[in-house]
């Protein structure tokens, strides 16, 4: 059995840079043998950076590249076509989230994966964040008693752009806005800690004029356990100050993950009313977390290891986003899994 997975990076944009950095740092069993992009300059730059063979189309790469797997990092509306082509070619597939913008498209991708019988993973790096995993372990160990409520906040100031509107700002290409895209990384930890989401009630807004989908959302998430959490997301404004990304409140204390590059995971309880730093400076965030997920993928291919989260699990974030959109229209609670 080979000790490495030969992989083609499909899409050479910003996310590919993070995947490449993660591979170099944390995924020793992955060898990047091909890179694919329709943009000639980006393709050439990525080929030079990785030393991999360049291909201007996925069809050519699937037919000619020396690869066992593909890492698909394309705009959301291209996920279905690319994944199904890769499965038809017998490749293992790592697909950036969301699996696809619609549930029907997800069903078709899952059916293609089943026919292929190869490893299929939907990339969600927050499932590998060390602070998210530590919070899960502490909750399970009863470190803050029974969970009463929680809050997740995802926000940032948008980057300026000079040229065509970014694909993430286009409804036809992205399928959804901040909830479906970056917000998924904050919904996943809530699900890891609190279980499955049953229903949501939400409002959305469009403060960023250039973005066709929502750039603001505020939602209540009711979990199957009965716990209610707050999910806030914002992609607008000139400045967003310090604060927290997550807060989980229990009967015997709280866990807080601070926002920002120097944020800490802190426990507050009777023994530590001023706060006890459990982890500092978001260890393992950024490129390392991409590497952790790619390493998990490689072990599934090479050793048959069960993935930390199977592809069907990723439907929870997509379904939550879609329920938020429905609730914003109906102004009432909407079920996530119906």
């Amino acid at each position: 059995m080979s000790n490495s997975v030969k992989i083609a990076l499909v899409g050479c944009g910003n996310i590919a840079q993070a995947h490449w950095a993660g591979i170099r740092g944390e995924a020793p069993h992955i060898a990047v043998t091909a890179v694919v992009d329709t943009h000639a300059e980006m393709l050439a730059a990525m080929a030079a950076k990785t030393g991999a063979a360049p291909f201007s189309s996925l069809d050519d790469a699937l037919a000619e590249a020396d690869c066992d797997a593909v890492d698909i990092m394309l705009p959301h509306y291209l996920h279905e076509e690319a994944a199904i082509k890769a499965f038809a070619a017998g490749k293992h597939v790592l697909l950036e989230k969301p699996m696809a913008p619609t549930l029907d498209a997800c069903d078709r991708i899952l059916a293609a994966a089943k026919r292929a019988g190869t490893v299929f993973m939907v990339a969600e790096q927050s499932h590998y964040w060390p602070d998210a995993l530590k919070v899960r372990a502490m909750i399970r160990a009863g470190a803050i008693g029974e969970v009463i409520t929680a809050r997740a906040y995802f926000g940032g100031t948008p980057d300026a752009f000079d040229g065509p509107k970014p694909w993430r700002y286009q409804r036809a290409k992205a399928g959804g806005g901040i909830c479906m895209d970056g917000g998924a990384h904050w919904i996943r930890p809530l699900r890891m800690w609190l279980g499955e989401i049953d229903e949501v009630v939400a409002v959305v807004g469009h403060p960023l004029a250039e973005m066709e989908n929502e750039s603001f959302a505020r939602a209540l998430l009711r979990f199957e356990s009965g716990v209610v959490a707050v999910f806030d997301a914002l992609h607008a404004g000139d400045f967003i100050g310090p604060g927290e990304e997550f807060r989980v409140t229990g009967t015997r204390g709280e866990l807080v993950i601070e926002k920002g590059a120097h944020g800490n995971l802190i426990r507050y309880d009777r023994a530590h009313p001023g706060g006890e730093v459990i982890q500092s400076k978001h260890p393992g965030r950024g490129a390392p977390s991409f590497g952790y997920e790619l390493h998990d993928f490689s072990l599934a291919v090479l050793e048959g290891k069960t993935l930390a989260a199977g592809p069907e699990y990723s439907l929870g974030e997509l379904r939550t986003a879609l329920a938020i959109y429905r609730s914003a229209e109906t102004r009432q609670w909407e079920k996530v899994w119906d």
Side-chain angles (χ1 to χ4, degrees), residues 116-135:
T118 54
V119 172
F120 177 35
M121 178 180 182
V122 176
E124 177 45 78
Q125 74 265 26
S126 66
H127 202 94
Y128 299 86
W129 287 348
D131 48 5
L133 295 171
K134 184 64 175 180
V135 169

Side-chain angles (χ1 to χ4, degrees), residues 102-332:
T102 69
L103 294 175
D104 286 346
C106 292
D107 287 342
R108 291 189 290 269
I109 292 171
L110 288 167
K114 184 175 182 180
R115 289 193 298 269
T118 54
V119 172
F120 177 35
M121 178 180 182
V122 176
E124 177 45 78
Q125 74 265 26
S126 66
H127 202 94
Y128 299 86
W129 287 348
D131 48 5
L133 295 171
K134 184 64 175 180
V135 169
R136 182 174 67 179
M138 293 181 72
I139 289 172
R140 290 178 176 178
I144 59 170
E146 295 295 319
V147 173
I148 299 171
T149 189
R151 178 181 185 246
Y153 173 76
F154 168 60
T157 299
D159 294 329
F161 62 91
D162 181 17
K165 183 183 293 188
W167 69 263
R168 281 188 163 86
Y169 286 14
Q170 301 176 50
R171 182 172 292 109
K173 294 183 177 181
I178 191 170
C179 297
M180 185 180 290
D181 195 12
H185 303 315
W186 274 252
I187 296 171
R188 173 63 66 93
L190 290 176
R191 296 177 63 220
M192 292 168 61
W193 304 335
L194 307 179
E196 203 49 85
I197 302 168
D198 178 42
E199 59 182 352
V200 308
V201 65
V203 295
V204 302
H206 300 81
L208 185 62
E210 299 89 345
M211 192 169 182
E212 295 173 10
N213 294 301
E214 87 286 351
S215 50
F216 164 74
R218 175 158 287 177
L220 294 179
L221 315 179
R222 193 192 311 277
F223 290 76
E224 291 177 352
S225 65
V227 170
V228 174
V230 177
F231 169 69
D232 284 326
L234 178 64
H235 186 65
D238 289 335
F239 185 83
I240 295 177
E244 63 197 36
E245 292 186 346
F246 297 98
R247 179 180 293 267
V248 185
T249 303
T251 54
R252 294 194 290 107
E254 287 189 309
L255 296 172
V256 172
I257 298 178
E258 297 175 316
K259 186 162 63 71
H262 300 291
N264 300 313
L265 165 59
I266 305 173
R267 171 169 57 186
Y268 296 90
D269 56 18
R270 290 188 181 277
H272 309 91
E276 174 193 18
V277 175
I278 304 298
Q279 289 183 342
S280 61
K281 298 184 179 180
H282 296 321
R285 294 279 195 100
S289 63
F290 290 98
Y292 303 151
E293 70 182 6
L294 281 149
H295 183 59
D296 197 25
F297 176 72
S298 71
L299 295 183
V301 172
L302 295 171
E303 302 176 1
K305 175 187 175 295
T306 300
L307 294 167
E312 294 86 355
Y313 189 72
S314 73
L315 296 177
E317 286 80 50
L318 176 62
R319 283 182 168 273
T320 299
L322 294 175
I324 286 172
Y325 300 156
R326 293 196 304 273
S327 178
E329 292 183 357
T330 64
R331 299 189 176 188
Q332 61 187 8

Side-chain angles (χ1 to χ4, degrees), residues 36-124:
V36 184
D37 205 292
T38 58
H39 191 287
E41 291 184 4
M42 292 173 62
L43 177 63
M46 200 66 178
K49 182 179 293 187
T50 62
F55 294 89
S56 59
S57 78
L58 178 59
D59 289 336
D60 289 346
L62 292 174
E64 303 171 21
D66 179 21
C67 66
D68 313 302
V70 296
D71 181 0
I72 299 172
M73 299 165 285
L74 298 173
H76 303 163
Y77 77 109
L78 297 174
H79 284 193
E80 178 183 1
E81 180 182 9
I84 289 176
K85 282 183 177 181
F87 286 127
K91 305 299 183 183
H92 305 287
V93 174
L94 175 63
L95 176 62
E96 262 296 336
K97 62 84 199 145
M99 188 187 305
T102 69
L103 294 175
D104 286 346
C106 292
D107 287 342
R108 291 189 290 269
I109 292 171
L110 288 167
K114 184 175 182 180
R115 289 193 298 269
T118 54
V119 172
F120 177 35
M121 178 180 182
V122 176
E124 177 45 78

